[in-house]
Amino acid sequence: MYRKAQAWLGNLLTWGQLRQTETAEKLYAEAIRLARQPAYFDRFKVADDVDGRFDMLSLMVALIMRRLRQTGVSGRVLSQQLFDTMFADMDLSLREMGAGDIGVSKRVRVMAEAFIGRLDAYLVAIEAADRAALSAALTRNLFRGNSHVDPLDNGLVDAIFELVGKLDDSDDAVLLDGRITTV
């Protein structure tokens, strides 16, 4: 009887982990959807290349992770799983492009470190409602120091703060189910 209960509990715990992984994958797909909005590349002049797409995706994942962390323990766990999902995808993408095992792990580590730096810079600026700091972080990261694009002047900073407001207004249960319905 004890072993059956243990097996049942083990299956239940595994089911919960699988469910959270599915939810993280759904949120990652939502981040990709948001990052691929044509306005970012057309109107706001984000480079439509591998670096620009990575940086745009990093920004969207950072915004979703920020919102998830506001939903309590479940959201913090899901935030970590979203991060893990993103970098598992980066690993797979690099392998599909032909990078070798050693090169992949090194590149993914560099990408993850870059993401953490961006996450910190974006979230500090957003939490302080500091438009100039967000603009500087976007110029440094998303635009790779291109001084010909000013995210404050072209409206990108406003668009990001509008998106943050929509995410903040979203229902916790919907978000924890892997859906972003306000955007």
Side-chain angles (χ1 to χ4, degrees), residues 34 46 53 74 93 120 136 148 170 183:
L34 292 172
V46 173
R53 284 183 237 128
S74 296
S93 295
D120 185 50
H148 299 292
S170 66
V183 185

Side-chain angles (χ1 to χ4, degrees), residues 89-154:
D89 182 55
M90 294 297 132
D91 183 280
L92 179 62
S93 295
L94 288 170
R95 289 177 194 283
E96 286 176 350
M97 292 180 350
D101 287 341
I102 294 171
V104 168
S105 62
K106 186 176 183 178
R107 283 180 168 171
V108 170
R109 187 181 74 246
V110 168
M111 292 168 80
E113 289 170 357
F115 174 82
I116 296 299
R118 286 161 171 75
L119 175 73
D120 185 50
Y122 296 149
L123 298 189
V124 165
I126 289 167
E127 294 305 319
D130 188 338
R131 296 166 40 82
L134 181 58
S135 180
L138 292 170
T139 298
R140 185 174 54 253
N141 298 304
L142 186 62
F143 295 106
R144 307 276 171 138
N146 180 352
S147 61
H148 299 292
V149 180
D150 185 342
L152 199 54
D153 284 344
N154 76 9

Side-chain angles (χ1 to χ4, degrees), residues 37-107:
Q37 298 295 313
Y40 293 122
F41 304 97
D42 299 336
R43 180 174 167 209
F44 301 122
K45 305 299 181 209
V46 173
D48 192 7
D49 58 17
V50 173
D51 289 336
R53 284 183 237 128
F54 169 75
D55 284 317
M56 202 62 231
L57 179 59
S58 294
L59 175 59
M60 294 301 130
V61 169
L63 298 179
I64 294 168
M65 288 174 66
R66 173 192 169 272
R67 177 63 179 93
L68 283 169
R69 290 177 181 170
Q70 297 170 350
T71 65
V73 174
S74 296
R76 287 190 292 278
V77 169
L78 190 52
S79 175
Q80 179 62 52
Q81 289 174 330
L82 175 57
F83 174 87
D84 294 345
T85 298
M86 178 181 179
F87 286 96
D89 182 55
M90 294 297 132
D91 183 280
L92 179 62
S93 295
L94 288 170
R95 289 177 194 283
E96 286 176 350
M97 292 180 350
D101 287 341
I102 294 171
V104 168
S105 62
K106 186 176 183 178
R107 283 180 168 171

